[in-house]
Amino acid sequence: MGLRWLFVFFHLLLFCLLPVLGSADAQGMQTYIVQLRPREAGSSGDQAMLASKMHWHLSFLEKSVPWEGEEKRPSSRLLYSYHTVFDGFAAQLSEEEAAALRELPGVASVRADRRVELHTTYSYKFLGLNFCPTGAWARSGFGGGTIIGVLDTGVWPENPSFDDRGMPPVPARWQGVCQGGEHFNATNCNRKLIGARFYSKGHRANYPTNPSDAVSLMEYVSPRDAHGHGTHTASTAAGASVAGASVLGVGAGEARGVAPAAHVAAYKVCWFNGCYSSDILAGMDDAVRDGVDVLSLSLGGFPIPLFEDSIAIGSFRATLRGVSVVCAAGNNGPSPSSVANEAPWVITVGAATLDRRFPAYVRLGNGRILYGESMYPGKVDLKNGGKELELVYAAGGTREEMYCIKGALPAAAFAGKMVVCDRGITGRADKGEAVKEAGGAAMILANSEINQQEDSVDAHVLPSTLIGYREAVELKNYISSTQRPVAKIVFGGTRIGRARAPAVALFSARGPSLTNPSVLKPDVIAPGVNIIAAWPGNLGPSGLEDDGRRSNFTVLSGTSMACPHVSGIAALIRSAHPSWSPAMIRSAIMTTADVTDRQGKPIMDGDGGKADAYAMGAGHVNPARAVDPGLVYDIDPADYVTHLCTLGYTHMEIFKISHAGVNCTAVLQRNAGFSLNYPSMSVAFKTNATSAVLQRTVTNVGTPNSTYTAHVAAPHGVKVRVSPTALTFSEFGEKKSFRVTLDAPAPRDNAEGYLVWKQSGGQGKHRVRSPIAVTWVVD
């Protein structure tokens, strides 16, 4: 989100045409991430130890990279030396040198760098965050004292969302810095934005150039955000209160982050061409050492094995140090098993809709009215929508014309008309710019069959609206059957509370997990469609290079937008319960999630029927309940290793994740019948398997002398038994275990149910819900 493909293409072309200035890439090099086996070392806070590790890392390069004179020493190939979330380094190597490194004693793995993609004036109100004295904000002090580290495209520090008026002092434990660079210095940080760093070595290794040359045309060589994505996500998580926020007058309200008193640290790891694992690991490494409480990563790719996933590997060590890691599930939905960032130690977040709409109706010449949505902020007669215009759609033209590719629209055919553009290939806002350049007066963006009724809006550069697939079919039929088709767009402003919500966004990635079906992913869903949040001052609200308008806020959609909502909730819980582990925080978020919408009806999967657990996980986040969950499912970090053993991971694969040796045979013998103490319950029956037993333990974080009783809705065709059926706690912090037995006599389609522990008696306000998902897999 926030990167416009034509803009990127232009600069990619520019990079290809520029000479490579002494780049190792010109000699067949590429970036590799090298993981080392542990060795004896001092405290992680010991600067001498850090220097010692650097020398240790360099020693491996000296053994595998030939010397080529003083100016091309092996040390010149080193990009990063990792110390905290990863033991190893990143370097530029040839294939032969990488192969030589793999053979050295002490080297655990050598893998090529991997590129991943970047995956609010109202959303905090939709989440029920308010000034009620018993609400989540009051109970948590608005997230005061916590630090959220945001790994993204950087930050625009002058945005009012990062004003520090009323903020508490910077925590004494904070060890971070405000790194200077292009148009950024230490004075840009304050008590809200307490730290900022940038990481470009992996990016430059793949797109080498002179910092003062091509990069500065589209990037700031500093923590400053050139694309807006990082500014948007950081303000969503912890932005300050900004009265009268809007996108050039549209969607007006008071902007406020989910944890408005939390501190923000920005780690710029993403650039115009994406985010490289080597830069991401460096950002995570520093963030954990700096002292963040929550790591927010609105980025990722397709699901890959955990032992090859740098985010999963880095987040494992972060979790060991008590840091909650929150990741976007990805935008590859609605395909099954498309969910990314599926490690069981991270919180994986899908996207959902709000009940806020921006109606922009299409009134056809035949009197029919088609529903659409738009955030076009120009001056248009909202009641009448301006004059009626002739419709044009290039049904018999080229593919480029149908998709409104820039430069493909002949002005003679499109000037002064309302142009219909098929969605796809280029960005939505890019199509509007293409129509405007061809002299078009307005645009109707038509969803394709794959987009269905999905309604992500944009701040277009000309009067425009987005219509769903059903409306697109009717519109095109009208055009093809009418001699002179005409229409007008009638803008309806901002409407709240009339639409069913939340619903799972069509693009939100789905489970079951491809690499780990015994853990249900995504974990939860959160607001991720048409989210208004902070925007940098160098870009117009459409994000287009030629958009000369300026706004402190704009609208974006994606699981990237959902992720920081949950990062903010994690900060609220951490502030209310500073001793809780990351697993307890995740449990509180999951077991209190809603499975019904604001109308009390089941959450829908777009317009496609009731959402299942593979689309919404445990449900839609509810921060007011999450800060007071009653019971939580805690996980000892060592249990993640045992879990990996149950998945059949090898000794070396587990080492790549945990940085520790393990004998799975001995571990499984000591933990017979082990199941990970996860808040959701997922069973993948293999061929001929008809029964499964899950062990769970809950910790009482509510009132003492309380009793909870089990209420079960079994998945279709599956018999579920819970033993015992009641849990009584006499003390705060007391733990109780129970067993869930599932019997499935015959394979069938995926099925789901739930287990709810309901508190009994006069204090029976807590309901601790766990979804139960069952799949059948072929060996």
Side-chain angles (χ1 to χ4, degrees), residues 49 55 114 222 420 549 673:
M49 184 278 296
H55 290 304
R114 174 172 170 259
S222 73
V420 178
R549 304 168 299 173

Side-chain angles (χ1 to χ4, degrees), residues 304-307 342-345 513-521 639-651 653-654 657 664-665 667-668 671 674-676 678 682-684 686 777:
I304 60 173
L306 299 180
F307 54 84
E342 48 191 344
W345 43 86
S513 170
L514 194 63
T515 64
N516 187 8
S518 61
V519 171
L520 181 64
K521 293 285 183 173
D639 287 345
Y640 291 122
V641 174
T642 305
H643 174 70
L644 296 175
C645 286
T646 67
L647 297 179
Y649 277 35
T650 67
H651 164 83
E653 289 168 348
I654 294 176
I657 298 168
C664 277
T665 301
V667 167
L668 294 177
N671 297 274
F674 173 87
S675 54
L676 188 66
Y678 213 75
S682 181
V683 175
K686 297 183 178 181
V777 298

Side-chain angles (χ1 to χ4, degrees), residues 252-272:
E254 183 176 7
R256 194 187 294 263
V258 174
H263 305 281
V264 173
Y267 298 85
K268 183 176 178 178
V269 299
C270 298
W271 303 80
F272 78 93

